[in-house]
Amino acid sequence: MSGGGWRAASLAYGWLRALHLMNITNKAQYISANSGGTWVTTPYAYTNTPMARFFSPYFEPQNLTTARLSMSLTPGSWGSRVAGKSLLLGAIGNPTTMPGEPSAWASNIASIFLNPFGVGSSDSSVSANGTRGDMLKATRRRLLPAFPVNVACKDNRPYPVVVGSIMTPERQVSPKFFPFEFTPLYAGMPPVADYTKPTALGGGFVEPIGFNTLAPRRRVVSPSGNESVDVALLHPATVSSLMHSVGISSSAVALRMKPGNILTANLFNGQMVNYWNLWDYKQALYTFADGGAVDDLAIMPLLRRGVKHIIACVATHTNPDASMADFAKAEFALAGLFGAFPLDATDNRGEQMMIHGVDDVGTWNEMGKVFPTSGFKQLFEQYQESYQQGGAHMFPATYEVLKNEFQGVAGSYTVNVLWVLNGQSSQWEQQLPPQTQRWLGRQRQSGAYKDYPNVYNNLEAPAPLISLLSQQASWGFRAKKDMVLDWIADAAGSRSGPSGEAPKGSSSSSSSSSSSSKRG
């Protein structure tokens, strides 16, 4: 599930509902998300709320009267809990936040999207069911007796991954952001960036309770090559919680900041973290920010793990009614996966575009390229044809995964991707009741509904908007049901690859230590 604020969250809610109703989520091994997508996938993955309550009902478009748009988000559902809540409070940084503590943004995000489902406390940790060895028991043993632990992988739900990024404080380094992952069992940056200062970045994974701590004081190497280390927790509020990871993943404002001090990070809602790498265990304060700086589509964690079948739900905000170059410029995260961002792209001032602190767009293409460039043209043409026909925008594709050292993707295997894109669908709109069609026509001229469904940068989402976006998203899967089920059947027939939640060779360790998995 990609990033994209309220648009991405509302669409993810509809896409996830459709996948749940089609019994596809219980066949999935991972659910990877960034930014706005995590506002749905995280409570979905960890909550004890029954799914029948978490998801509001699906309605065929002809039944979506204007009255029903306001009432379709049933009590207790994700949509009803978050509708009308404002991001503005969290957008104003708190200059007094101490390093390691959740930012003002993270606290507000948790209050809106996590607390209603009982998983938003800053004084909590994470783990998962169904591990080799009882990692949940080991995690609880290391913490205070009553310290809450939010547990994933309940009721056959897939293993969640949240995408973030680390910002180097060096002003002359490009790129300035590097990939990072948060999961219930481990957090880290698999590739190594040994040229950054004041410390190298990356090198592997550490258990969540080892993140945002003081650097290890002792390490023991196991026969498998993993290392157990002693770390010191700073304060209950600095333990890696879902508030931390989801707040970091969606802190888009922090992508606009220049390297600076703690005050600068706080004002821009970057999350200052006591970070130590898995390379040489050196530590420094680093700013963590939105995963959109390196992987807005949240697809890299899946490619790192060699996943061979991926449903990629992308909250695009641009209809394909102009040139391919214009589309690539607007959807630069998608284009970057193919190394297809136009090298001559300029901004509104006629100057060469810069993307998230990257000095030149050629570097952006190199950072993100994991699929052959020719695939972008094919995807754009399919999307353009689907847009002209007014249907649901879903397109199966097969690619050779390319090696990408920056992202830690080994490549050299074939992946099947089912692209699911946002975009105006005249077939769905024409099935809406006439009154709803007229109402939508007026609403999309300005305000929260402007350019629906390509709404952009909203600080809040009224209930009818969440209902519209999520219902249209679910409709897309129903409209393409036969194609989707055939794709799933083919995936199930050829499924292979990683079978466990944790990286190969990871293990639990003694009650006074945290386990890490290193990569050279």
Side-chain angles (χ1 to χ4, degrees), residues 103-414:
S103 66
W105 173 262
S107 298
N108 193 42
I109 289 297
S111 71
I112 296 173
F113 300 104
L114 304 181
N115 288 350
F117 300 98
V119 296
S121 172
S122 63
D123 296 356
S124 63
S125 189
V126 290
S127 190
N129 286 328
T131 60
R132 298 190 297 270
D134 197 336
M135 289 297 295
L136 175 56
K137 183 177 180 180
T139 298
R140 284 178 168 151
R141 190 171 61 235
R142 296 185 183 100
L143 299 167
L144 296 173
F147 202 80
V149 178
N150 295 306
V151 183
C153 302
K154 293 174 284 199
D155 306 323
N156 246 357
R157 279 172 259 171
Y159 186 81
V161 182
V162 170
V163 175
S165 65
I166 315 176
M167 182 182 188
T168 174
E170 297 175 89
R171 292 180 178 270
Q172 304 305 318
V173 170
S174 178
K176 289 181 170 42
F177 296 92
F178 295 82
F180 200 87
E181 294 182 16
F182 299 92
T183 85
L185 298 179
Y186 47 91
M189 171 181 161
V192 177
D194 57 2
Y195 52 87
T196 58
K197 294 179 180 179
T199 68
L201 298 176
F205 295 99
V206 66
E207 291 177 56
I209 59 171
F211 175 73
N212 198 19
T213 63
L214 296 180
R217 296 168 294 172
R218 182 182 68 90
R219 51 185 170 176
V220 178
V221 182
S222 71
S224 65
N226 283 348
E227 295 186 1
S228 294
V229 295
D230 287 342
V231 297
L233 302 179
L234 300 174
H235 184 275
T238 66
V239 174
S240 181
S241 65
L242 296 178
M243 178 188 292
H244 281 90
S245 59
V246 177
I248 286 170
S249 180
S250 59
S251 55
V253 175
L255 301 182
R256 299 173 185 171
M257 66 178 282
K258 295 181 179 180
N261 54 27
I262 296 173
L263 178 60
T264 302
N266 286 343
L267 292 177
F268 281 85
N269 273 316
Q271 177 69 63
M272 293 294 288
V273 167
N274 294 284
Y275 171 76
W276 49 273
N277 66 45
L278 273 293
W279 179 249
D280 56 12
Y281 295 138
K282 296 292 178 63
Q283 182 173 28
L285 282 176
Y286 277 91
T287 302
F288 279 61
D290 195 303
V294 290
D295 182 19
D296 194 45
L297 276 61
I299 203 168
M300 297 301 177
L302 307 178
L303 298 178
R304 290 185 194 114
R305 290 159 174 78
V307 175
K308 297 182 177 180
H309 305 277
I310 298 173
I311 299 177
C313 298
V314 187
T316 47
H317 62 274
T318 309
N319 290 325
D321 51 2
S323 69
M324 186 175 73
D326 288 338
F327 180 76
K329 179 179 173 181
E331 303 292 343
F332 53 82
L334 178 59
L337 294 178
F338 300 87
F341 188 85
L343 297 179
D344 59 352
T346 57
D347 59 23
N348 294 333
R349 297 171 296 180
E351 300 176 359
Q352 182 180 9
M353 279 189 65
M354 291 183 62
I355 305 172
H356 302 321
V358 177
D359 288 342
D360 66 273
V361 294
T363 299
W364 177 259
N365 283 333
E366 293 172 5
M367 287 168 54
K369 187 174 182 179
V370 286
F371 302 139
T373 303
S374 59
F376 185 72
K377 182 175 185 292
Q378 179 186 35
L379 178 60
F380 174 75
E381 290 176 347
Q382 290 175 311
Y383 185 25
Q384 196 170 50
E385 181 179 1
S386 175
Y387 172 74
Q388 292 167 353
Q389 294 174 351
H393 310 308
M394 297 188 184
F395 320 105
T398 301
Y399 308 114
E400 183 69 17
V401 181
L402 307 178
K403 182 178 181 179
N404 186 314
E405 292 185 356
F406 175 82
Q407 297 284 358
V409 174
S412 299
Y413 78 96
T414 300

Side-chain angles (χ1 to χ4, degrees), residues 453-520:
N454 301 318
V455 296
Y456 198 71
N457 284 346
N458 288 0
L459 287 174
E460 61 183 67
L465 179 59
I466 294 175
S467 183
L468 275 171
L469 285 167
S470 64
Q471 293 290 343
Q472 181 176 338
S474 294
W475 169 84
F477 272 98
R478 294 179 67 87
K480 297 284 188 176
K481 181 177 180 180
D482 290 343
M483 183 267 284
V484 172
L485 292 179
D486 286 345
W487 190 91
I488 293 295
D490 290 343
S494 60
R495 183 175 181 178
S496 61
S499 58
E501 290 83 349
K504 185 177 179 180
S506 68
S507 61
S508 60
S509 54
S510 67
S511 60
S512 62
S513 65
S514 176
S515 175
S516 63
S517 177
K518 294 183 71 174
R519 284 188 177 184

